[in-house]
Amino acid sequence: AQSVTQLGSHVSVSEGALVLLRCNYSSSVPPYLFWYVQYPNQGLQLLLKYTTGATLVKGINGFEAEFKKSETSFHLTKPSAHMSDAAEYFCAVSGGHNFGNEKLTFGTGTRLTIIP
Amino acid sequence: NAGVTQTPKFRVLKTGQSMTLLCAQDMNHEYMYWYRQDPGMGLRLIHYSVGEGTTAKGEVPDGYNVSRLKKQNFLLGLESAAPSQTSVYFCASSPGGYNEQFFGPGTRLTVL
C-alpha cells in the first residue's frame, strides 16, 4: 500500500521568494510520483511526474521536484513565486509499473498563498 | 478535443433522492476514475475502471455504484443520497501504465 504526507496545509510566501512544498511518501515498491495543481473551482492539472531515470524533474510554470529515495521525499520547489502560483497543490503516488499503478493515492493538499 | 467533461456542474439533492453523474472522455483512454474531494482530506478514490465493461472499488465505495458500458463514458450513481455525500466529485481518465490522469472540472453536489 502507498501513502502520502504533505507537511503544511497552508503555506504563504512573498512574491519573488522561494516556494517549497513538502511531500513524503510511503511505498512498498518503487513509486511513481506526481504533483498536481488545482486552481479555484477547477479540476486538477499535472505539474510534473517522476517515473524512472533522472531524479530531478522539471515541470510546467517553472516548478521542479527531486525524488530522494533515501528520504522518501518528493518536494516541490520554484525559485521565484509569482502571484499566479496561488493555488492548491497535491502530491500523489502510485505503485509503479507492475503493482497497482492504475491507482493514485493523494496527499491532503497544500494551499499556497502569495503575498504581494 | 474536449478532454474530460462532467455533467452536471452543480446539483442539490434532498436526502434519499437518487442521481447519476456522467463523465465523458474523448482521448480513447482505457482507465477512468471517480474521486470525491472534501476539505482537508485531499482526493479519495470512489470507484475506477480499467476498461470497458469493468469496474472496481476504490477507497470509499459505499453508497455509490458505477457503470462503464462504453469506453468513453463512466457513470457514478447515488441510489439514496445522504448529507455525508455532499462533496465535489471529480472524474479522471488515463491511458494507463505510468501516464498521468487527466481530470474533469468537477461536480459540486449538495445533499440537504
Side-chain angles (χ1 to χ4, degrees):
Chain A
Q2 301 93 245
S3 66
V4 174
T5 301
Q6 290 185 241
L7 294 175
S9 58
H10 292 85
V11 171
S12 296
V13 301
S14 297
E15 191 175 13
L18 171 71
V19 175
L20 170 60
L21 304 183
R22 298 178 187 274
C23 173
N24 288 89
Y25 70 90
S26 171
S27 178
S28 56
V29 296
Y32 294 163
L33 294 156
F34 304 81
W35 274 101
Y36 283 86
V37 60
Q38 184 181 31
Y39 298 104
N41 299 313
Q42 295 186 24
L44 279 70
Q45 63 182 85
L46 183 73
L47 271 180
L48 49 81
K49 66 180 180 183
Y50 167 80
T51 54
T52 58
T55 57
L56 182 62
V57 180
K58 295 187 184 299
I60 61 172
N61 301 336
F63 284 93
E64 62 182 36
E66 186 170 11
F67 170 59
K68 292 187 176 181
K69 183 178 178 181
S70 61
E71 298 177 8
T72 61
S73 69
F74 191 56
H75 301 331
L76 181 71
T77 60
K78 182 174 180 177
S80 177
H82 191 273
M83 294 301 294
S84 60
D85 295 328
E88 189 152 22
Y89 292 79
F90 292 93
C91 182
V93 62
S94 73
H97 186 60
N98 293 314
F99 177 77
N101 67 318
E102 67 274 10
K103 294 186 288 184
L104 288 177
T105 299
F106 285 86
T108 54
T110 297
R111 184 170 300 278
L112 177 64
T113 300
I114 310 298
I115 303 167
Chain B
N1 288 349
V4 180
T5 58
Q6 293 183 232
T7 308
K9 288 185 169 53
F10 302 94
R11 186 71 186 267
V12 178
L13 290 179
K14 294 181 179 179
T15 297
Q17 288 185 318
S18 63
M19 77 163 294
T20 300
L21 282 67
L22 171 63
C23 175
Q25 54 96 2
D26 62 1
M27 297 174 283
N28 201 35
H29 287 169
E30 288 294 333
Y31 294 12
M32 296 188 74
Y33 310 81
W34 276 108
Y35 294 91
R36 59 178 290 171
Q37 183 180 28
D38 302 291
M41 303 189 75
L43 277 78
R44 293 181 292 168
L45 183 64
I46 304 171
H47 287 281
Y48 66 105
S49 168
V50 299
E52 180 179 312
T54 76
T55 63
K57 293 181 180 180
E59 183 185 356
V60 288
D62 294 342
Y64 305 95
N65 56 75
V66 288
S67 64
R68 183 105 181 264
L69 299 179
K70 293 183 180 181
K71 185 177 184 178
Q72 64 267 33
N73 295 337
F74 195 30
L75 278 64
L76 178 71
L78 286 72
E79 290 187 348
S80 179
S84 60
Q85 294 178 305
T86 294
S87 187
V88 181
Y89 291 85
F90 287 99
C91 176
S93 72
S94 169
Y98 35 79
N99 293 290
E100 69 268 26
Q101 294 181 16
F102 295 81
F103 283 80
T107 294
R108 186 172 296 274
L109 174 66
T110 301
V111 183
L112 302 176

